[in-house]
Amino acid sequence: MTDLSKDSPKTAAATDFRHDTGQVPASTTHFDDEDPAVAELDRALARVTGLRPEYDREFTQFACWAVANGYRVLPASAQVLLAYFAGYPGTLATQRGRATAVAAAHRAARREPGDPQPVPSTKSAFGLPSPTEAESVRRVLRPQRAERLAGHRARVEAVLPHLPVTGWPDALTARRDAVILYLAAAGLSWDTIAGLRQRDVSLHDTVVMIGSQPLVELTATGLPTTCPVAVIRRWATVLAYAPRATGHIELERLLTAADDVTEPIHQLLAQWADQPLLTRFDGRGLADGVVDELDPLTGTEVAEIVATRMAFDIPVATVDLDPDYYERGVAARARAREISDDLDELFARLDAIADPLLDLSRESMRTQGLTPD
């Protein structure tokens, strides 16, 4: 067991932290070896070695807080790290420093049986899945990120209705590319998307979660064409058959069936859990790889797919106004008001000239015995 005496630097930091934040009464700040929480803290700290001193202290403080509040320390979820940030506010630099320490600890942690596998191609690929790689945490640490990705998602939702979900073999790549577009708009890197395995995806009726942190969560919208849950389910149908020797035959039948035919599989199958989430197809609809073993896409291919699909020329239903439309509208109305005022003055002057002439004409007609119309 790690030395938890008062002379231990980790114990001193943890004791001070718990006492200062009011998590334990002052009379009980000395650790009791019989306390299950202390034993859990000891196990968590013992799994991490070789951290820089400043990281070690920051992670120890986080671990103390997590154990005191009944949260798992290693690996920690994104929700736990966000709760830590909320409980102990600080500047953006302070929170980034805390996140860096937690990430370093997850990378250095010794793996144990039952630990979730990190998503390949992420920074924690050789340790434990780090909560700092979750999109929800990244948006807190990079405030401008949310606005930028919201624009990407809006574009994706405009493109998706133009990707076929039936037909052969175009629907194969269209269904796959719809998944890629959503994952890219959610903030995942090209390499992370390419490295995903089917086990990294948790598909539910109301949400899709990627990674154990989770890295991203895509919430159902209920719109069949663009709902992320529906998009993943359609791709799950393809993945259920793609690794099989005759899978392309069954897929052609399903993707060219009548519209009222229900596809039999809408979930990722446990038997293909270690298979890549994404693969490529040839012109016959055959997936790349050997039987029961798909070949994954590369990060470069993912980037090319995103660039190609996002460049799709969407038919314009409405005219977009340029950023200066308001100022130009105000100026146009001012000019119209000026012209209207000038016309009013002109008409008044014409009336002043015409009225006497009209009176003179009527008087002339009366003297001649003529009645005007």
Side-chain angles (χ1 to χ4, degrees):
M1 176 176 290
T2 301
D3 180 11
L4 291 176
S5 67
K6 287 187 177 180
D7 294 332
S8 167
K10 284 190 176 182
T11 300
T15 302
D16 293 344
F17 180 74
R18 294 175 69 186
H19 175 65
D20 292 344
T21 57
Q23 292 175 8
V24 294
S27 60
T28 61
T29 55
H30 180 65
F31 284 127
D32 182 357
D33 286 342
E34 300 301 322
D35 186 346
V38 174
E40 174 61 26
L41 176 63
D42 183 45
R43 284 192 295 270
L45 296 179
R47 293 179 64 180
V48 181
T49 58
L51 289 182
R52 291 161 51 178
E54 61 270 29
Y55 291 172
D56 187 68
R57 177 175 176 81
E58 287 283 4
F59 176 67
T60 298
Q61 292 180 342
F62 167 75
C64 287
W65 172 87
V67 169
N69 287 277
Y71 296 126
R72 183 175 181 177
V73 178
L74 290 172
S77 70
Q79 290 80 2
V80 169
L81 185 58
L82 291 175
Y84 181 60
F85 289 165
Y88 300 95
T91 66
L92 196 56
T94 296
Q95 302 293 37
R96 286 174 176 172
R98 291 169 174 167
T100 300
V102 171
H106 279 71
R107 287 195 299 270
R110 184 184 68 252
R111 292 188 57 80
E112 293 182 348
D115 284 335
Q117 291 285 336
V119 171
S121 301
T122 57
K123 293 180 180 179
S124 59
F126 299 105
L128 295 173
S130 172
T132 63
E133 294 176 350
E135 183 58 33
S136 56
V137 174
R138 297 176 74 184
R139 292 189 182 201
V140 169
L141 300 178
R142 302 177 185 176
Q144 300 82 6
R145 185 177 178 85
E147 182 178 357
R148 177 172 60 83
L149 291 178
H152 291 339
R153 172 154 178 166
R155 173 66 181 178
V156 166
E157 291 179 342
V159 170
L160 288 183
H162 302 279
L163 299 183
V165 297
T166 59
W168 188 259
D170 291 347
L172 290 174
T173 54
R175 290 188 179 200
R176 177 202 65 196
D177 294 356
V179 174
I180 292 174
L181 289 179
Y182 251 128
L183 295 179
L188 296 183
S189 69
W190 314 137
D191 288 341
T192 298
I193 294 172
L196 289 172
R197 298 282 169 172
Q198 294 182 38
R199 65 167 179 263
D200 298 320
V201 180
S202 181
L203 180 56
H204 306 277
D205 290 339
T206 58
V207 67
V208 180
M209 294 184 289
I210 310 296
S212 60
Q213 295 89 333
L215 286 174
V216 297
E217 293 183 66
L218 300 172
T219 305
T221 64
L223 303 173
T225 303
T226 60
C227 174
V229 172
V231 166
I232 301 291
R233 287 194 187 281
R234 286 193 285 266
W235 178 235
T237 298
V238 174
L239 290 177
Y241 299 98
R244 301 174 182 174
T246 58
H248 61 295
I249 298 174
E250 187 66 20
L251 283 172
E252 182 176 9
R253 183 186 67 80
L254 287 172
L255 297 184
T256 58
D259 292 341
D260 58 352
V261 173
T262 301
E263 296 178 357
I265 300 175
H266 296 91
Q267 290 289 341
L268 296 168
L269 302 182
Q271 70 188 90
W272 305 128
D274 291 330
Q275 294 295 308
L277 179 66
L278 305 165
T279 190
R280 64 189 71 81
F281 301 90
D282 65 17
R284 300 166 295 172
L286 286 169
D288 270 11
V290 297
V291 175
D292 295 347
E293 189 173 338
L294 300 175
D295 286 344
L297 294 179
T298 66
T300 299
E301 288 173 318
V302 169
E304 291 173 350
I305 288 169
V306 172
T308 300
R309 294 297 193 182
M310 293 290 270
F312 177 75
D313 188 12
I314 300 173
V316 179
T318 58
V319 178
D320 292 331
L321 298 175
D322 67 67
D324 298 325
Y325 80 96
Y326 181 79
E327 289 77 10
R328 292 191 296 104
V330 170
R333 286 192 293 274
R335 289 194 299 272
R337 194 161 48 243
E338 292 172 359
I339 294 173
S340 178
D341 292 342
D342 291 342
L343 289 176
D344 288 342
E345 182 181 352
L346 175 61
F347 289 145
R349 293 171 61 187
L350 290 174
D351 288 342
I353 297 173
D355 287 345
L357 293 176
L358 182 59
D359 291 341
L360 180 61
S361 175
R362 287 174 177 170
E363 180 64 23
S364 175
M365 292 176 70
R366 278 195 296 269
T367 57
Q368 296 180 36
L370 300 174
T371 302
D373 295 334

